[in-house]
């Protein structure tokens, strides 16, 4: 349940002259949804129509920013992608949209061309746009027509350009018994034409996250650009003999493979599938010649836990990567490892740092690694000295959710609890932080948000625990407000100072609610011991923290009306909502449960990633059944009494639909006021614009119904 996915939905709106860098729209404002232009509290309609910025890519000379945009076509109920480029040489430069319906921008090594992925006839292909260089730099607006450089029969899943720009790594989903991409396409076509719809499975995964297995594997290929700049229809397979996905499914990306500086070697990570794939986290790092002349070689076979995200040093002598130490535990701490490629010797660079880094990059001189990590309610950018492992925070408050490095400059994608993602530049030393885009500024000027504050209290065993409170939009001192008590998922996650398009506290603040949330034992960003402490104790220490945090918030913030409060949670937060329905239901006027675990026993046999259940419960259910019953919400239905809204989606294979249906059946049979909202086309998250609006409208109506003043209820 831990992994998260950032889902982008960007709408380009006209801005004031002071924000000239953001005036180039991706799509017209859709009139199928009404946006308020007068001052008003922030709401879900503002949320779904916001511009969303992602995937920052800095040109090799550090002057130009390429990035992804996504607008919302509300009438069509979908997002619309685009690629934009911005000249960073001075403020006020206009944004140029170079490709619509495109994603994954990457600069060519010479900085004069930009590659991206866009569909042709329904197949994702690689494209290149060439810019004309003049005395004053690239002419972004008057670029040459884009060129389609790949003509394969399958979708490009991910890609990465070689250091010299003469070749490219390509990931395709193929049948591994096929020798060509055309063979896979022919098999797919035959399946589509077959009138029989049955599928025979001989091993797990049968389905994963939100997709049924079709027998294909993501495999890694190398394509060489011809003299005409085009790729061959059949590239060279590099992952020969690898029974696994490169990149990994369902959320892997191009950070899972890399070229050596000279382009002769490719490094990638993969979990060998076999029979044990659903209960294994044993990823390993492999190397393979980029010409495909030899089979891949495992470089980390001795570690049975997770090794991934290879980053070669600029001199080619060292391979840095991230590694866990506990097999089968997806939330173990990632340590930064250094592998001497000549001797094979390995050591941990940062053993003294009790955080779990990700998103690793390296400076041109090889002396500094850049990473991000959860850290006490924030998600900053850090610099790590490769020689001594010393860690220094470069950019602090809020969340850095992506970055790109060129020379002495960094381009950041950054957000916080009151601002969605925008682009910033900062020096490699962390100085001169400057915001360079201001998407959504006009919208947020009129959409009032709530201020927030972190607080710390004594939780389980008097250990310090952090939470935060968000005031209602248009807060007035002296008034009391109903409360939305949000319980985060994961469970190894955290509610941080970051913007979200799901479970965004500002959507509740805009409805007149105060928000309280607690980063209970098990949350990330407070040290690995704190994170580990929830395993085997889902209903213990975290519940104690929630109780103590709720009381601490009531004692500290007089505007919280403890008599008009509802608790809400999703995933693990949904488990906790079902758990407190029978264990700690006294404070709550209502509950909202989204895709939660209702029956811990059946959850083991119905979910897909068994490693998660087995680690959290100390083994398979058939070996340790008592562990699965220790905190099973189903066993306490007799004590349920609080009105509950249950939300569960049909394509959620992580926590299947029967969990929500079972809970709703229990509520109805007990005669407890309850409603059930289901989305047959959504997964663990509700992503489609119309569905998101319906979700928020339904949840908000439920909260208001049960937290209304007595006079209003009467």
């Amino acid at each position: 349940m831990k992994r998260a996915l950032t889902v982008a939905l960007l709408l380009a709106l006209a801005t004031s002259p002071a924000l000239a860098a953001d005036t180039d729209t991706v799509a017209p404002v859709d009139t199928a949804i009404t946006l308020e232009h007068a001052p008003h509290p922030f709401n879900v309609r503002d949320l779904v129509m916001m511009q969303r910025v992602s995937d920052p890519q800095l040109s090799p000379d550090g002057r130009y920013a390429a990035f992804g945009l996504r607008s919302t076509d509300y009438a069509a109920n979908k997002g619309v992608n685009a690629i934009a480029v911005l000249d960073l040489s001075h403020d006020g430069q206009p944004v140029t949209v170079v490709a619509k319906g495109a994603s994954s921008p990457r600069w060519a090594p010479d900085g004069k061309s930009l590659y991206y992925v866009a569909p042709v006839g329904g197949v994702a292909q690689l494209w290149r746009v060439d810019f004309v260089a003049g005395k004053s730099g690239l002419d972004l607006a008057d670029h040459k027509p884009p060129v389609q450089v790949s003509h394969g029969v399958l979708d490009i899943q991910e890609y990465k350009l070689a250091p010299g720009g003469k070749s490219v790594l390509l990931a395709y989903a193929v049948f591994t018994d096929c020798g060509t991409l055309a063979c896979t396409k022919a098999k797919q076509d035959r399946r589509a034409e077959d009138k029989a719809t049955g599928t025979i499975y001989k091993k797990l995964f049968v389905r994963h996250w939100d997709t049924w297995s079709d027998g294909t594997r993501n495999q890694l290929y190398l394509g060489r650009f011809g003299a005409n700049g085009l790729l061959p229809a059949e590239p060279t397979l590099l992952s020969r003999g690898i029974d696994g996905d490169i990149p990994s499914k369902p959320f892997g990306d191009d950070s899972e493979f890399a070229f050596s500086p000279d382009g002769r070697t490719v490094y990638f990570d993969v979990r060998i599938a076999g029979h044990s794939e659903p209960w294994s986290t044993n990823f390993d790092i492999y190397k393979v010649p980029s010409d495909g002349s030899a089979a891949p070689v495992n470089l980390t076979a001795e570690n049975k836990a997770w090794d991934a995200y290879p980053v070669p040093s600029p001199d080619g002598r060292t391979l840095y990567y991230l590694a866990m130490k506990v097999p089968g535990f997806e939330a173990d701490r990632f340590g930064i490892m250094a592998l001497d490629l000549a001797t094979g010797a390995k050591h941990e660079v940062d053993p003294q740092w009790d955080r779990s880094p990700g998103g690793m990059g390296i400076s041109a001189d090889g002396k500094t690694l850049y990473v991000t990590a959860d850290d006490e309610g924030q998600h900053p950018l850090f610099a790590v000295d490769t020689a001594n492992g010393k860690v220094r925070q470069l950019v602090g408050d809020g969340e850095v959710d992506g970055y790109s490095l060129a020379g002495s400059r960094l381009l950041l994608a950054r957000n916080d609890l009151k601002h969605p993602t925008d682009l910033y530049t900062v020096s490699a030393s962390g100085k001169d932080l400057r915001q360079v885009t201001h998407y959504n500024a006009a919208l947020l000027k009129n959409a009032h948000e709530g201020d927030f504050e972190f607080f710390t209290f004594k939780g389980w065993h008097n250990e310090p625990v952090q939470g935060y409170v968000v005031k209602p939009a248009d807060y007035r001192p002296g008034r009391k407000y109903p409360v939305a008590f949000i319980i985060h998922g994961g469970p190894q996650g955290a509610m941080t100072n970051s913007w979200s398009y799901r479970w965004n506290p500002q959507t509740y603040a805009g409805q007149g609610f105060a928000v309280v949330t607690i980063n209970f034992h098990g949350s990330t960003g407070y040290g690995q011991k704190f994170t580990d402490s929830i395993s085997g104790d889902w209903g213990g220490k975290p519940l104690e923290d929630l109780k103590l945090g709720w009381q601490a918030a009531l004692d500290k913030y007089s505007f919280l009306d403890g008599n008009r409060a509802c608790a809400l949670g999703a995933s693990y937060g949904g488990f906790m909502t079902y758990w407190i329905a029978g264990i700690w239901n006294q404070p709550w006027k209502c509950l909202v449960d989204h895709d939660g675990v209702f029956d811990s026993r059946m959850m083991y046999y119905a979910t897909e990633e068994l490693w998660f259940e087995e680690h959290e419960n100390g083994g398979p259910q058939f070996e340790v059944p008592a562990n699965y019953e220790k905190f099973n919400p189903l066993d306490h239905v007799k004590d349920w009494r609080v009105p509950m809204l249950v939300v569960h989606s049909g394509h959620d294979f992580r926590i299947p639909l029967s969990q929500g249906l079972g809970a709703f059946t229990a509520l109805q049979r007990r005669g407890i006021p309850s409603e059930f909202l289901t989305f047959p086309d959504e997964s663990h998250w509700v992503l489609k614009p119309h569905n998101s609006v319906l979700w928020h409208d339904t949840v908000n109506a439920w909260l208001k119904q049960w937290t209304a003043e007595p006079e209003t209820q009467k």
Side-chain angles (χ1 to χ4, degrees), residues 581-604:
I583 303 298
W584 181 46
N585 54 37
Q586 297 83 5
W588 315 116
K589 290 293 185 282
C590 74
L591 300 170
V592 177
D593 193 293
H594 176 101
D595 289 11
V597 177
F598 170 61
D599 181 359
S600 301
R601 177 180 57 250
M602 192 57 201
M603 171 66 178
Y604 175 78

Side-chain angles (χ1 to χ4, degrees), residues 507-508 511 513 695-705:
T507 63
Y508 304 98
Q511 295 294 311
F513 289 89
W695 188 99
H696 284 84
D697 284 350
T698 304
V699 169
N700 289 328
W702 187 255
L703 298 180
K704 290 178 179 179
Q705 176 182 346

Side-chain angles (χ1 to χ4, degrees), residues 11-216:
L11 175 69
L13 301 173
T15 59
S16 65
L19 306 176
D22 303 311
T23 58
D24 197 327
T25 60
V26 180
V29 175
D30 195 303
T31 57
I33 189 168
T34 302
L35 290 176
E36 298 181 61
H37 298 288
H40 65 279
F42 185 83
N43 61 57
V44 64
R45 286 152 181 80
D46 298 315
L47 185 73
V48 300
M49 298 303 289
M50 296 187 94
Q51 307 165 357
R52 307 191 190 185
V53 179
S54 65
D55 201 5
Q57 298 293 323
L58 196 55
S59 62
D61 62 2
R63 177 172 172 177
Y64 302 97
F67 54 99
L69 294 175
R70 192 169 172 180
S71 65
T72 300
D73 185 340
Y74 194 74
N77 201 26
K78 66 179 183 179
V80 180
N81 292 316
I83 300 298
V85 182
L86 174 63
D87 186 347
L88 301 171
S89 59
H90 57 272
D91 293 338
Q93 293 291 302
V95 165
T96 300
V97 174
V98 299
K100 297 181 180 181
S103 61
S104 303
R106 299 293 183 268
W107 290 98
D110 65 5
K112 296 179 181 179
S113 301
L114 187 69
Y115 289 85
Y116 59 87
V117 175
V120 180
V123 179
Q125 303 286 3
L126 189 63
W127 291 73
R128 187 189 73 246
V129 59
D130 300 319
F131 298 105
V132 177
K135 293 182 179 180
S136 58
L138 302 180
D139 188 344
L140 301 180
D142 191 24
H143 56 77
K144 297 181 180 179
V147 176
Q148 181 185 342
V149 299
S150 75
H151 295 78
V153 293
L154 302 178
D155 289 330
I156 291 176
Q157 305 293 322
E158 296 286 343
Y159 75 98
K160 181 167 285 185
L161 294 164
K166 295 182 179 180
S167 60
V168 60
L169 292 173
L170 302 163
Y172 289 101
V174 300
F175 294 109
T176 54
D177 60 348
C178 274
T180 63
L181 303 186
C183 168
T184 291
K185 181 63 167 62
K187 278 193 173 186
Q188 291 175 336
D189 290 344
R190 287 196 296 272
R191 282 189 178 183
E193 294 169 359
D194 193 341
K195 291 182 171 54
T197 58
T199 301
I200 298 174
Y201 293 95
K202 297 184 178 181
K203 65 177 182 178
L204 300 173
F205 291 114
V206 167
R207 57 186 190 177
H208 199 180
W209 190 254
D210 62 357
T211 304
W212 287 88
S213 174
D214 65 357
T216 62

Side-chain angles (χ1 to χ4, degrees), residues 3 37 122-123 129 152 275 292 318 390 403 424-425 445 462 467 522 532-533 610-611 630 642 682:
R3 298 185 192 177
H37 298 288
V123 179
V129 59
H275 180 66
T318 305
K390 290 184 178 179
Y403 71 92
Y424 296 74
T425 58
K445 183 178 180 180
N462 286 323
D532 291 345
S533 66
L610 294 178
W611 67 75
K630 184 178 180 181
V642 178
E682 297 283 7

Side-chain angles (χ1 to χ4, degrees), residues 6 9 33 57 60 110 148 158 160 230 375 492 650 670 692 702 706:
T6 301
L9 293 167
I33 189 168
Q57 298 293 323
D110 65 5
Q148 181 185 342
E158 296 286 343
K160 181 167 285 185
L230 305 184
D375 184 53
Q492 295 90 354
R670 286 289 323 280
S692 179
W702 187 255
W706 297 103

Side-chain angles (χ1 to χ4, degrees), residues 536 600-601 617-632 635:
S600 301
R601 177 180 57 250
N617 292 288
Q621 188 277 336
F622 52 82
E623 291 183 359
V624 287
N627 293 3
Y628 286 79
E629 291 304 317
K630 184 178 180 181
F631 301 112
N632 194 346
D635 294 333

